Amino acid sequence: MNYVEYRKTKGRSITSINSEIITIDQLNNFLNLKYKKKIEAFEIKPQDIHDFLNQQIKINKPNTVNKKIVYLRAWFNYLWETKQITYDFMCKIPFFEVEEKEIDNTMCYEELVNNIKKIAQSNAHIIAKLIYIFFIRGLQPRDIYNIKLNNIHDLDNKIKVEGIAINKKAYSITFETEVEMNLIRQGIERAVFGNTEYLFNSRIAKSHELNKLIQENTSVYIAKINEILDIKFTHSMCKSSYIYYLFTKKNKRIEEIALILSTTIVSVTAYLNKSIDLNKKNDYNVS
């Protein structure tokens, strides 16, 4: 009996099971990157779980991480019942008791841009570096991870990435710095050699081939960016900063910003109001 069937016998809904599978996949991806090889369930050690959870708490709220602990406890119980492991230590992994505090989500957009070079020169994975330069352009993550090589046009002195977002709106992003263009070219080379059409990809277990990266498996890359820049790096923060920058520094109208970001006027207005409130609260000046 596989895990999905096992959980169904326990009365779990398919939605809940899917959430559990996502967490299990996140753990496995984390361990594969940590050890640079595929790790079997019986090889997982308590320290591996602690390392994974410590990474997750940097990018998620305590309640979210505690849910992941519940999911992993269910999986380890299954592994023990089906004799795939000889000892279930997961039941002894404690929940997080972290006092949540309000996070300052404001950041100067020019600072985000200036950090591109720092990210590019770091030891971060190329996928993490690509996530960074695309996140700060405001395109939705679901559309970023859907970018195919045929969406990318290398025009020597600039690279244009064009396509249709999931919301059916067209998008066009132009990269003109050598640092950004070199990162995208590295990403293209990786995709070509990995036999995938997707710029954002992950390695198929026990294979040299790559497959499309799914959003649920990006936490390890986001955590690396957090580590390098020592910030709470999120797409929402990037988008807020970019919209605030376009409105206050580039004097773009809300309608223009909506076109640039391939989103709605309502969405831009909401982000802008939040950014203005946060900047007023913190006496924060974009310079």
Side-chain angles (χ1 to χ4, degrees):
M1 182 185 300
N2 65 30
Y3 184 68
V4 173
E5 293 170 344
Y6 168 82
R7 293 301 283 162
K8 284 181 179 178
T9 67
K10 302 294 183 181
R12 302 295 290 176
S13 70
I14 193 65
T15 301
S16 296
I17 295 171
N18 285 339
S19 296
E20 294 174 13
I21 295 296
I22 287 170
T23 296
I24 295 166
D25 286 345
Q26 288 175 337
L27 172 64
N28 286 328
N29 286 330
F30 172 83
L31 295 178
N32 292 345
L33 282 170
K34 177 181 177 180
Y35 291 104
K36 296 180 170 40
K37 66 174 185 177
K38 180 174 174 57
I39 298 298
E40 301 297 337
F42 66 86
E43 298 179 286
I44 301 175
K45 302 184 289 291
Q47 188 58 51
D48 293 328
I49 300 297
H50 285 298
D51 290 345
F52 171 69
L53 295 175
N54 286 336
Q55 179 226 67
Q56 289 294 306
I57 200 64
K58 293 177 182 177
I59 56 178
N60 292 296
K61 293 180 179 179
N63 286 342
T64 300
V65 179
N66 285 339
K67 284 182 183 178
K68 293 178 186 291
I69 293 174
V70 172
Y71 298 155
L72 291 177
R73 283 182 176 181
W75 183 52
F76 269 76
N77 186 62
Y78 160 78
L79 293 173
W80 180 77
E81 287 191 10
T82 55
K83 300 186 178 355
Q84 295 183 55
I85 58 175
T86 57
Y87 175 62
D88 179 7
F89 60 78
M90 192 65 215
C91 58
K92 294 186 177 181
I93 300 294
F95 291 112
F96 279 91
E97 295 182 3
V98 181
E99 183 180 351
E100 296 185 45
K101 59 183 180 180
E102 185 178 354
I103 297 170
D104 180 7
N105 234 10
T106 61
M107 190 170 189
C108 172
Y109 185 72
E110 287 95 331
E111 189 176 348
L112 286 171
V113 172
N114 290 337
N115 281 331
I116 292 175
K117 192 171 183 179
K118 185 174 183 179
I119 292 291
Q121 294 175 342
S122 74
N123 64 351
H125 194 284
I126 182 61
I127 296 299
K129 296 175 182 180
L130 289 172
I131 286 174
Y132 186 85
I133 65 172
F134 276 89
F135 265 33
I136 68 173
R137 294 304 187 94
L139 190 64
Q140 286 296 104
R142 62 188 180 184
D143 295 314
I144 290 173
Y145 304 135
N146 275 336
I147 293 173
K148 296 181 179 181
L149 299 190
N150 61 13
N151 294 124
I152 304 169
H153 310 286
D154 194 336
L155 307 174
D156 292 333
N157 64 334
K158 61 184 174 182
I159 291 178
K160 296 192 76 171
V161 182
E162 298 177 316
I164 303 297
I166 290 178
N167 63 9
K168 307 302 181 185
K169 295 180 182 291
Y171 67 81
S172 179
I173 305 172
T174 302
F175 297 92
E176 297 183 277
T177 70
E178 283 299 320
V179 175
E180 292 172 310
M181 290 191 291
N182 285 338
L183 290 178
I184 294 173
R185 287 165 184 154
Q186 289 174 40
I188 292 171
E189 183 178 3
R190 169 184 161 87
V192 170
F193 279 100
N195 195 31
T196 180
E197 61 182 335
Y198 291 98
L199 180 66
F200 291 85
N201 48 65
S202 58
R203 193 165 302 284
I204 301 172
K206 297 182 180 179
S207 169
H208 292 297
E209 292 193 355
L210 301 170
N211 209 350
K212 178 185 175 182
L213 179 69
I214 60 173
Q215 188 168 342
E216 289 78 9
N217 290 339
T218 60
S219 59
V220 65
Y221 303 118
I222 304 295
K224 185 63 178 178
I225 296 171
N226 286 339
E227 176 189 318
I228 295 167
L229 301 181
D230 193 27
I231 61 173
K232 185 83 172 182
F233 182 78
T234 65
H235 179 268
S236 177
M237 177 265 285
C238 293
K239 191 170 183 177
S240 294
S241 298
Y242 190 33
I243 289 173
Y244 187 79
Y245 166 79
L246 291 173
F247 186 77
T248 61
K249 291 295 181 179
K250 294 298 182 179
N251 298 316
K252 298 289 185 182
R253 294 181 293 109
I254 290 176
E255 293 82 359
E256 292 178 286
I257 298 173
L259 286 174
I260 292 170
L261 271 63
S262 305
T263 189
T264 64
I265 292 173
V266 172
S267 176
V268 171
T269 303
Y271 271 99
L272 186 58
N273 287 338
K274 181 180 178 182
S275 296
I276 291 172
D277 288 343
L278 283 170
N279 278 278
K280 282 182 179 178
K281 178 180 177 182
N282 295 288
D283 194 26
Y284 194 91
N285 227 354
V286 177
S287 59

